[in-house]
Amino acid sequence: MSQPVRTASAALEKPRRESRLARLAVGLLLAGDIACALAQQVSLVGLSSHRALLVIDGGVPRFLSPGQSVNGVRLISAQGDQAVIETGGQQQILRVGEAPVRVGGKGRVEGGSRIVLTADARGHFLPQGQINGRAVQFMVDTGATLVAMGESEAERLNLKFRDGQPVRINTANGTITAYQIQLNAVRVGDVQVYDVAAVVSPQPMPYILLGNSFLTRFQMQRLNDQMTLEKR
């Protein structure tokens, strides 16, 4: 059964008409606590024939094939320059040559510690980034409770959003049903954040709104046309 969601975010069409568009609200009601597994440090040091060479907690490098596990870390896939691993029921993306990431805890921020953004001529911050390793175009929206996107973009990203929790969103045209999901990884610049709450709306959106489920992981500071996000 769907749950009511408090109005908080924006639905956008063409940028030149933004001032006349109603804002789409997305919010989240969460209950219960999620237990955090003990964090481990994992790095990808090589790939060979769909096998990944992993180093876990500074130990001896181990080759894993998809489906194999070591020390609670299971390899899901390995191709190109990246591998997908799973630990504690959560998946992470690793790339060859990147710094080790910590897995097994909730709400992690990895990579660099600072994001610096510059506003465009309309005063919007439009960073490019990645969701689950796929390139996306974000728009920073401090009024959005969650990261928010339209269904077409969610389908392009291969997100199984219809398996998520149905939520109700109030719009200028009435109440619609959207889906609340968790994103494995959201990346802007060299900073990657894991386990980010998001909502997928049937209403088309030209950008993915970078809402507070991502932004609150940082200290935010704005000076003129520059915004700095510093890892907490």
Side-chain angles (χ1 to χ4, degrees):
M1 182 175 180
S2 61
Q3 300 179 6
V5 176
R6 184 167 50 87
T7 297
S9 98
L12 304 172
E13 294 178 359
K14 295 180 180 179
R16 64 187 178 188
R17 302 169 67 183
E18 289 168 351
S19 61
R20 296 186 301 162
L21 297 176
R23 292 183 66 83
L24 172 68
V26 270
L28 177 63
L29 296 176
L30 290 177
D33 297 324
I34 300 177
C36 299
L38 182 64
Q40 295 172 287
Q41 213 174 48
V42 183
S43 60
L44 175 65
V45 297
L47 292 158
S48 176
S49 301
H50 300 291
R51 297 191 303 161
L53 185 60
L54 302 179
V55 174
I56 301 173
D57 289 335
V60 177
R62 296 281 301 272
F63 263 118
L64 294 183
S65 298
Q68 290 185 322
S69 301
V70 62
N71 296 341
V73 177
R74 183 167 71 97
L75 180 66
I76 302 299
S77 65
Q79 58 183 8
D81 66 344
Q82 70 179 39
V84 179
I85 62 170
E86 182 181 75
T87 180
Q90 299 173 354
Q91 293 187 7
Q92 312 293 344
I93 298 171
L94 305 178
R95 289 181 176 78
V96 174
E98 287 191 346
V101 300
R102 298 196 69 82
V103 297
K106 190 180 188 324
R108 298 172 305 284
V109 178
E110 301 293 348
S113 62
R114 175 183 293 184
I115 302 169
V116 179
L117 306 174
T118 301
D120 66 7
R122 302 185 310 276
H124 298 309
F125 295 92
L126 300 170
Q128 294 184 341
Q130 296 178 358
I131 290 179
N132 297 353
R134 292 176 177 263
V136 297
Q137 178 66 64
F138 288 116
M139 176 174 171
V140 174
D141 186 351
T142 57
T145 303
L146 308 180
V147 172
M149 70 189 77
E151 287 186 357
S152 61
E153 187 71 347
E155 289 169 351
R156 183 183 73 83
L157 296 172
N158 292 326
L159 301 178
K160 297 180 180 179
F161 60 91
R162 290 187 177 87
D163 294 337
Q165 177 185 354
V167 293
R168 293 199 300 272
I169 295 177
N170 296 320
T171 73
N173 297 319
T175 301
I176 59 176
T177 297
Y179 296 91
Q180 172 204 313
I181 60 174
Q182 291 292 121
L183 303 175
N184 293 331
V186 176
R187 188 182 188 95
V188 178
D190 64 347
V191 179
Q192 184 153 268
V193 178
Y194 298 101
D195 308 316
V196 179
V199 69
V200 178
S201 166
Q203 183 167 336
M205 302 170 68
Y207 307 111
I208 294 179
L209 301 182
L210 197 61
N212 288 318
S213 55
F214 178 89
L215 298 174
T216 54
R217 310 284 178 87
F218 302 86
Q219 294 284 352
M220 183 185 303
Q221 194 170 45
R222 179 171 180 176
L223 180 62
N224 298 323
D225 65 346
Q226 192 170 85
M227 177 183 290
T228 302
L229 302 175
E230 191 82 32
K231 182 172 68 175
R232 290 183 183 275

